[in-house]
Amino acid sequence: MAQAQPVKNVVLVHGAFADGAGWRGVYDELTKRGYNVTIVQNPLTSLDDDVAATNRALDRTNGPTILVGHSWGGTVITEAGVHPKVAGLVYVSALSPDAGETTAQQYEGFAPASEFVLDIGKDGYGFVEASKFKVGFANDVSDDDAAFMRDSQVPINMSSFATKLKNAAWRTKPSWAVIATEDKAFDQAMLLHMADRIGAKVTKVPASHALFKTQAKVVADTIHAAAESIDKPAN
């Protein structure tokens, strides 16, 4: 059954250790194509807080919306994606737990990300270790940009990874996944396993974990394809 109106809204949800500014290239690509784009600024203080921030953005959209998450943002959109305005989900090298699961459980059984090293403070908030930031997070970003991303990190409350999800929007909403083949934050087998489990249509791109910044056109193309697919469902 077709949507009552075209999908022309997109909400972008960043992951841990970053903020919404990294979506600028995706924003520019989509707005040129006529989309209304909202960028969530996650506080990264808890899953509930990030979902609340995302719901606030969704409430302000004026119709069916594609909800997009990078990395930890995938957990956020999995929980928030049950919002009635969400028509589809796009996971950008992103996590996708099931209801009743934690984010931390997604890593079980997969190779550790040896080049993605965290520095966790006594207060329980984690950063990417400064000396490992470029190689682990953004190895295809210029040295200057990687340094700025490193020094403007937004730490995440690590207890968020132990929070069980109440909902798994991918069980009822169509999903797409963009997977960075040079991602050092996740084992490739883990990314492929998650995408397969949620039935996502997969696009692979040679990029680092910072593909939301370095592969803006590929990410935007996937979001556009998702919107068009929902606009014109198969008979």
Side-chain angles (χ1 to χ4, degrees), residues 103-213:
T103 300
Q105 284 177 267
Q106 308 315 295
Y107 296 81
E108 294 175 0
F110 297 101
S114 59
E115 293 177 280
F116 190 80
V117 181
L118 299 185
D119 178 8
I120 302 172
K122 292 179 181 178
D123 62 356
Y125 279 77
F127 295 82
V128 179
E129 185 178 299
S131 65
K132 299 286 187 179
F133 187 89
K134 182 172 170 63
V135 66
F137 194 102
N139 61 22
D140 54 352
V141 173
S142 71
D143 287 347
D144 286 347
D145 283 349
F148 182 81
M149 293 171 70
R150 176 197 68 209
D151 295 338
S152 62
Q153 286 187 68
V154 184
I156 188 168
N157 185 341
M158 297 302 296
S159 68
S160 303
F161 287 80
T163 303
K164 288 185 178 181
L165 275 71
K166 302 179 183 72
N167 300 291
W170 51 261
R171 288 198 168 273
T172 56
K173 310 284 176 87
S175 299
W176 287 257
V178 185
I179 292 176
T181 59
E182 304 302 320
D183 197 321
K184 302 300 183 184
F186 301 124
D187 182 6
Q188 282 293 302
M190 175 183 165
L191 285 169
L192 292 167
H193 168 77
M194 290 189 295
D196 180 67
R197 183 172 76 155
I198 69 176
K201 300 171 184 68
V202 175
T203 298
K204 296 181 182 179
V205 61
S208 74
H209 192 60
L211 75 165
F212 63 99
K213 181 177 177 68

Side-chain angles (χ1 to χ4, degrees), residues 63-78:
T65 301
I66 301 296
L67 184 58
V68 184
H70 170 251
S71 195
W72 160 256
T75 293
V76 178
I77 71 168
T78 297

Side-chain angles (χ1 to χ4, degrees), residues 23-45:
W23 289 116
R24 180 59 191 268
V26 176
Y27 173 92
D28 288 346
E29 287 280 345
L30 291 172
T31 54
K32 287 175 188 174
R33 303 182 200 195
Y35 289 93
N36 305 307
V37 183
T38 303
I39 298 172
V40 176
Q41 294 288 4
N42 283 326
L44 301 180
T45 46

